[in-house]
Amino acid sequence: MDRIRIVGGNELNGRIPISGAKNAALPLMIAALLTDDTLTLENVPHLADVEQLTRILGNHGVDYSVNGRRESQQEGYSRTINLSARNIVDTTAPYDLVSKMRASFWVIGPLIARMREARVSLPGGCAIGTRPVDLFIDGLQALGAELDVDRGYIIASAPKGLVGNRYVFPKVSVGATHVLMMAASLARGETVLENAAREPEVVNLADCLNKMGARIEGAGTSTIVIQGVEGLSGARHRVIPDRIETGTYAMAVAMTGGDVLLEGARTDLLETALSVLSDAGAEISTEQRGIRVKRNGNGIKPVDVTTEPFPGFPTDLQAQFMGLMTMAQGRSQITETIFENRFMHVQELARLGAHISLSGQTATVDGVATLKGAQVMATDLRASVSLVIAGLAAEGETTVNRVYHLDRGFERLEEKLSGCGAVIERISA
Ligand code: UD1
């Protein structure tokens, strides 16, 4: 398995291009199942999760090409892809494909809406808590689907099609909001989703669905109203910049010091995280080409953070922020409210010399003057990258083992960081 070797201690200076958002690209790709026309998506990041989803969509019969060519002919940064679900040949999403990535479960929404049936394996994905699917089941049932769980699969059917309804999410869920928005687009009549997720990725999906002919209002607020339509057409749509990648590199700069322009990044996608970072002592400015992050001379100040659904501080930046706080001048508390088991990076950060104690869902971090390089193990996607940025700031050499998690969510990580002066390389197994 590949490893990443880092020699820490260098400031980051220069520019980092921000890729298209993985968490926006995945639901947008799944939306291709709603139409027999071609959906063209621009700025799709080149990531293992995207590749995995193309395999899952391919299994349903979706034809996939990159810039008009087959995928294997293209390598590199975010690309334009074409997806055509003219012929859906299979409404089953099998275990061996779905178990590798939780978001692939979301095909259940478009399949039940367009094909009136779906058989989808219960999901896998990052090991960060139990991550049930009860909200998907309840929500689709509210739209008239019949659902059963049988031998690890959800069997869904709606022989007469879905029917619009009012559904109040008992808990904010990004995935269930995506799925119900897609399903309701092809339901008969009006659907009102309350306590919906307000994440920018939900807005990006709603904009695309509206270009395809859907009638969705209110995305980005907690009440989304959808008037069902008979069919959807193709469209061309752009994936928003990755706010988690943006926040991750911003935290890396805050940690190592330096001056980096995050090209293409959008402040409005992560205002809370940026304001926390400036409280911690980073200088953040919005420029025409992106967001500039600087930290020169002054130390890192401790800041308490609680993760929340958007527009709160994102859980997907919690591990990285904890990395930053390990070198703060004092004590900070980080509380995780979204996932119950998202502190696996704590013991690995401790290997680098961090002082962190855990009590329930709160981590208390006592900043240390220096971290020292060590061998660490990547556990989930965001935890892995927190170890990378801690390694960049640590004295000496850090090796991050099991980096396949990083490839799921960070496009050309080593290249982007070494372009700014980091000493980082991949050691292939
Ligand atoms: C998405 C993101 C993930 C991010 C998360 C929260 C993608 C591909 N992934 O994941 O990076 O960390 O949002 O911002 O976009 N829940 C239930 N029942 C359900 C569904 C969810 O209890 O049926 C719970 C989850 O266990 C979790 C909480 O709701 O505690 C939020 O999860 P959710 O917003 O659904 O996360 P994902 O959409 O899976």
Side-chain angles (χ1 to χ4, degrees):
M1 239 177 266
D2 289 3
R3 286 171 292 153
I4 287 196
R5 182 177 157 271
I6 298 160
V7 182
N10 291 350
E11 280 192 352
L12 294 172
N13 284 294
R15 37 176 285 271
I16 296 179
I18 297 303
S19 298
K22 168 181 88 79
N23 286 355
L26 299 177
L28 287 167
M29 290 170 69
I30 288 171
L33 287 168
L34 288 164
T35 173
D36 59 8
D37 278 352
T38 301
L39 179 64
T40 299
L41 298 174
E42 298 170 358
N43 201 30
V44 176
H46 196 205
L47 296 170
D49 271 10
V50 168
E51 312 248 306
Q52 178 64 15
L53 184 57
T54 61
R55 280 191 279 280
I56 289 160
L57 294 175
N59 189 61
H60 295 300
V62 176
D63 198 30
Y64 167 68
S65 65
V66 178
N67 283 341
R69 284 183 256 173
R70 300 305 303 181
E71 180 199 15
S72 57
Q73 291 175 274
Q74 291 272 326
E75 268 299 314
Y77 283 118
S78 299
R79 305 159 302 172
T80 298
I81 67 171
N82 305 301
L83 297 159
S84 166
R86 186 167 304 279
N87 298 310
I88 294 186
V89 295
D90 195 342
T91 53
T92 295
Y95 174 76
D96 57 336
L97 293 178
V98 179
S99 58
K100 298 200 177 91
M101 181 179 50
R102 181 177 165 88
S104 53
F105 178 76
W106 302 347
V107 298
I108 195 167
L111 287 176
I112 180 90
R114 179 166 157 209
M115 306 304 290
R116 302 187 171 189
E117 60 171 41
R119 187 169 164 268
V120 181
S121 171
L122 289 163
C126 279
I128 49 171
T130 49
R131 301 184 98 177
V133 292
D134 53 324
L135 304 179
F136 298 84
I137 295 178
D138 288 356
L140 289 170
Q141 279 173 337
L143 298 185
E146 284 172 25
L147 288 106
D148 278 318
V149 181
D150 184 31
R151 278 169 278 188
Y153 280 79
I154 302 237
I155 320 281
S157 73
K160 294 184 183 151
L162 298 175
V163 184
N165 200 349
R166 175 171 176 268
Y167 182 69
V168 184
F169 291 98
K171 181 175 192 177
V172 178
S173 162
V174 176
T177 303
H178 286 320
V179 162
L180 289 190
M181 211 163 61
M182 288 192 275
S185 294
L186 288 181
R188 275 197 310 284
E190 180 178 277
T191 297
V192 179
L193 302 177
E194 295 200 34
N195 197 27
R198 291 183 279 163
E199 268 66 2
E201 293 75 20
V202 170
V203 178
N204 202 209
L205 175 64
D207 288 345
C208 179
L209 293 170
N210 282 340
K211 280 188 196 166
M212 293 165 73
R215 293 174 57 203
I216 302 173
E217 282 178 10
T221 74
S222 35
T223 304
I224 304 179
V225 180
I226 304 143
Q227 310 294 338
V229 295
E230 293 245 316
L232 295 172
S233 57
R236 187 177 185 98
H237 190 67
R238 190 169 175 83
V239 176
I240 53 172
D242 196 316
R243 63 194 168 97
I244 304 304
E245 190 194 29
T246 305
T248 300
Y249 290 129
M251 286 179 199
V253 179
M255 203 165 174
T256 61
D259 181 349
V260 173
L261 177 67
L262 302 171
E263 274 181 344
R266 267 173 47 189
T267 311
D268 60 310
L269 302 181
L270 72 162
E271 276 169 1
T272 306
L274 292 177
S275 100
V276 165
L277 268 179
S278 58
D279 291 347
E283 281 174 55
I284 315 256
S285 52
T286 307
E287 300 195 355
Q288 206 190 347
R289 283 192 300 150
I291 300 174
R292 189 157 172 197
V293 185
K294 287 201 267 183
R295 189 174 68 81
N296 296 321
N298 296 334
I300 301 162
K301 296 187 201 107
V303 184
D304 294 344
V305 146
T306 299
T307 62
E308 280 165 357
F310 192 87
F313 188 93
T315 175
D316 286 350
L317 286 175
Q318 181 256 106
Q320 299 88 315
F321 187 70
M322 194 182 296
L324 174 63
M325 287 298 102
T326 63
M327 286 181 66
Q329 296 165 327
R331 172 173 285 191
S332 59
Q333 289 201 314
I334 300 177
T335 303
E336 171 61 52
T337 69
I338 309 291
F339 293 109
E340 72 265 29
N341 187 21
R342 206 170 202 184
F343 281 134
M344 273 124 42
H345 41 285
V346 167
Q347 62 192 34
E348 299 303 306
L349 287 169
R351 294 176 62 78
L352 299 173
H355 289 177
I356 307 169
S357 62
L358 275 180
S359 170
Q361 292 297 94
T362 298
T364 301
V365 186
D366 285 303
V368 293
T370 46
L371 296 177
K372 297 213 169 80
Q375 296 257 354
V376 289
M377 184 79 83
T379 46
D380 71 49
L381 173 53
R382 312 304 178 181
S384 317
V385 85
S386 77
L387 299 172
V388 171
I389 63 176
L392 293 174
E395 279 175 5
E397 191 171 312
T398 293
T399 306
V400 183
N401 294 296
R402 279 212 207 151
V403 297
Y404 63 90
H405 290 290
L406 283 173
D407 298 330
R408 293 187 37 219
F410 287 88
E411 193 177 43
R412 297 196 170 198
L413 174 94
E414 309 94 275
E415 193 182 308
K416 290 185 183 186
L417 286 168
S418 55
C420 289
V423 179
I424 177 168
E425 63 174 349
R426 178 177 293 248
I427 303 168
S428 296

